[in-house]
Amino acid sequence: EVQLQASGGGLVQAGGSLRLSCATSGFTFDDYAIGWFRQAPGKEREGVSCISNSERSTYYATSAVGRFTISSDNAKNTVYLEMNSLKPEDTAIYYCAADLSGWGGLQTNDYDYWGQGTLVTVSS
């Protein structure tokens, strides 16, 4: 059974940092692309960053460039999202998802499996 477990959210002041983790199981880690998405209250879910399979190419939404870093630990089957210089507009529930094709991308309909979210709240 494919499982993704997001964690690491919390309350942080503007300018602060958080590291989110996405622990995965039930599939060959190198075969899938993993993406991070977020959904703020009243808004649609949007892609934040993703990391492709095998070569581990990374992609970022414009809002994340220069502030967020995605990485993976193959030994732990875990993908991380390091978030720095957080802003109140980063407040959202953050989700990780797996794309069987391995290509990833920032579109929700490209992904096959989703984990539960972790709440990030950035206070001003």
Side-chain angles (χ1 to χ4, degrees), residues 45-104:
R45 192 170 298 187
E46 62 177 2
V48 176
S49 182
C50 67
I51 186 166
S52 68
N53 69 341
S54 63
E55 293 183 0
R56 294 307 185 193
S57 299
T58 58
Y59 305 91
Y60 297 92
T62 301
S63 60
V65 171
R67 299 189 301 129
F68 296 0
T69 303
I70 192 169
S71 62
S72 66
D73 184 334
N74 287 4
K76 296 182 178 180
N77 290 351
T78 300
V79 171
Y80 303 98
L81 185 68
E82 183 78 31
M83 305 188 296
N84 299 312
S85 302
L86 283 163
K87 306 174 183 179
E89 50 264 44
D90 294 317
T91 294
I93 299 173
Y94 283 71
Y95 300 87
C96 60
D99 169 24
L100 180 58
S101 78
W103 290 103

Side-chain angles (χ1 to χ4, degrees), residues 11 35 43 47 80 104:
L11 174 63
K43 294 188 177 181
Y80 303 98

